[in-house]
Amino acid sequence: FFCLCIDCGTYFPEVKNHPEKYLQKCPNSVKKWLKQLKSAGKILLLITSSHSDYCRLLCEYILGNDFEEYFDVVITNALKPGFFSHTPNQRPFRTLENDEEQETLLSLDKPGWYSQGNAIHLYELLKKMTGKLDPKVVYFGDSMHSDIFPARHYSNWETVFILEELLGDKVMVPTETESEPLEKKGKYEGYQPKIPYSVSEQWGSFFVDRLPGLENAEETLVRTWSCKCISTYSTIAIPSLEAIADLPLDYRFTRFSSNSSATAGYYPSPPRALLPSEESVTMK
C-alpha cells in the first residue's frame, strides 16, 4: 500500500507537487452533466483501480474539493478487471479509514467510499438503492481490457467506450448549415473533419489494416482486432465525455447492436477509416 504523503519514488511525488503539468481540469459542461444526472435520480458511481489517496489527489484537482458530492458510491483499489470477474469470496469489499483498508464486508448496505470489492455485491447494493430487481447500469471506461470487456462480458452492463483515437481521427470545424436545433446536438455534431492528424506513421490506423494484394491484385482493407472488440463489447463509443455532455439526458444513441453495421455505435460519427466502401471491409 502506498501513501502520497510519503515522497518516495518519482512518479507520485511529481504528480502530487505539479498536477497542472499532467492533469486537465474537468470541463464545466461535464460537471453540469454529472449534476443533471444526479438530479434526475440516477446513481453515480466512481470505480477506479487507483488507491484512495491517489484518487483523491486527482479528483480534487480535476473536479474540485467537493468531488465526492458528484458520486453516490466511490470504489478505489478496485483491481479491475478482477472487480468484474472475481466472486465476493475472492474479492470482498473493505472499509477505509484515513486511506487505509480496514474490515472486510460481507455485503454493501449503504452508499459510501469503499476499497477493492466485486461487481456482484455492488449490483446488490444498486438493487437496494433503486428498489428495482434489475437496475440498468451504463458503465463508462477508457480501457477495453480493464473496463469495457469485463463489464459487458461478466456483468452484462451497457458500456460506453471513451476512445481518444476518435479525437485523433478528425479535427472539427463548423459546417455552414445547421440541420438540427442546437439543443439536440452534442459538442461534435454538425462538424466536418479535416485530414487526420494522429495516425501513427509506424502502426497506421487504429481501426483498419491494409493488406497488400497478391501479384497485381488491389490491397484489401480489414478491420483490426481492436476495432472488432469495440463493436462487439461496446454499446457506443465516444471521443470524450465532453462530446455528449450538452445532449439532453433522453437523447437516443444508435447502438452497435441495433443493426448490421459495425460503425453504428460511433458517436458523433464513425472514424473516417471505416467510412469508404464499408461493405468491402472485412473482419481480421
Side-chain angles (χ1 to χ4, degrees), residues 4 97 103 116 131 140 147 161 177 219:
L4 282 174
E97 184 176 335
E103 63 177 312
Q116 297 197 39
F140 291 73
D147 295 314
F161 192 17
T177 60
E219 66 181 10

Side-chain angles (χ1 to χ4, degrees), residues 7-282:
D7 288 329
C8 58
T10 302
Y11 175 82
F12 295 112
E14 176 67 13
V15 174
K16 175 185 176 182
N17 294 325
H18 304 285
E20 72 284 351
K21 292 172 60 177
Y22 308 100
L23 306 175
Q24 294 182 348
K25 297 279 189 178
C26 180
N28 288 330
S29 61
V30 176
K31 291 183 179 180
K32 179 181 177 182
W33 177 67
L34 292 173
K35 291 179 180 178
Q36 288 176 334
L37 287 169
K38 205 166 185 183
S39 296
K42 308 302 181 184
I43 296 173
L44 271 62
L45 316 170
L46 174 60
I47 307 174
T48 175
S49 291
S50 297
H51 284 276
S52 57
D53 47 1
Y54 186 55
C55 171
R56 192 184 307 278
L57 171 73
L58 297 187
C59 288
E60 285 182 351
Y61 182 84
I62 294 170
L63 287 168
N65 293 333
D66 61 344
F67 77 92
E68 291 185 57
E69 297 180 6
Y70 288 96
F71 305 101
D72 298 282
V73 179
V74 177
I75 300 170
T76 51
N77 196 23
L79 303 174
K80 298 177 292 183
F83 179 85
F84 297 100
S85 61
H86 287 191
T87 66
N89 289 336
Q90 293 173 312
R91 189 70 60 76
F93 279 98
R94 296 179 180 274
T95 59
L96 283 167
E97 184 176 335
N98 297 324
D99 291 323
E100 293 190 8
E101 293 179 349
Q102 303 294 320
E103 63 177 312
T104 298
L105 300 174
L106 298 179
S107 64
L108 292 184
D109 297 322
K110 59 183 179 180
W113 190 317
Y114 301 98
S115 185
Q116 297 197 39
N118 58 87
I120 295 175
H121 275 172
L122 174 60
Y123 196 66
E124 292 300 316
L125 174 63
L126 294 178
K127 290 180 182 180
K128 296 176 184 178
M129 294 177 67
T130 61
K132 298 179 180 179
L133 295 176
D134 185 27
K136 303 302 181 184
V137 181
V138 181
Y139 183 84
F140 291 73
D142 61 2
S143 169
M144 179 59 67
H145 172 265
S146 299
D147 295 314
I148 303 304
F149 168 75
R152 171 60 63 85
H153 181 74
Y154 294 106
S155 300
N156 199 32
W157 290 354
E158 303 285 4
T159 52
V160 178
F161 192 17
I162 301 174
L163 185 64
E164 62 180 3
E165 281 79 5
L166 291 174
L167 286 173
D169 183 71
K170 57 190 69 175
V171 179
M172 304 299 176
V173 294
T175 55
E176 296 180 359
T177 60
E178 293 288 342
S179 58
E180 290 187 50
L182 183 61
E183 64 270 13
K184 282 292 184 180
K185 288 184 175 290
K187 183 176 178 62
Y188 301 132
E189 281 190 282
Y191 285 73
Q192 293 181 337
K194 287 184 178 179
I195 298 174
Y197 64 87
S198 68
V199 174
S200 168
E201 293 183 2
Q202 179 176 359
W203 302 109
S205 170
F206 179 81
F207 304 97
V208 172
D209 279 336
R210 297 179 179 272
L211 301 184
L214 298 176
E215 298 181 354
N216 295 325
E218 294 183 358
E219 66 181 10
T220 303
L221 297 180
V222 294
R223 291 194 173 99
T224 61
W225 178 83
S226 296
C227 184
K228 180 179 178 181
C229 287
I230 294 169
S231 59
T232 301
Y233 300 110
S234 307
T235 304
I236 63 171
I238 61 176
S240 66
L241 288 178
E242 196 176 4
I244 65 171
D246 292 329
L247 291 172
L249 296 184
D250 60 353
Y251 185 90
R252 297 182 67 86
F253 293 91
T254 302
R255 304 160 58 101
F256 278 114
S257 60
S258 61
N259 57 42
S260 59
S261 171
T263 62
Y266 289 104
Y267 179 89
S269 62
R272 296 206 325 167
L274 296 180
L275 289 178
S277 304
E278 181 179 332
E279 294 77 9
S280 66
V281 179
T282 58

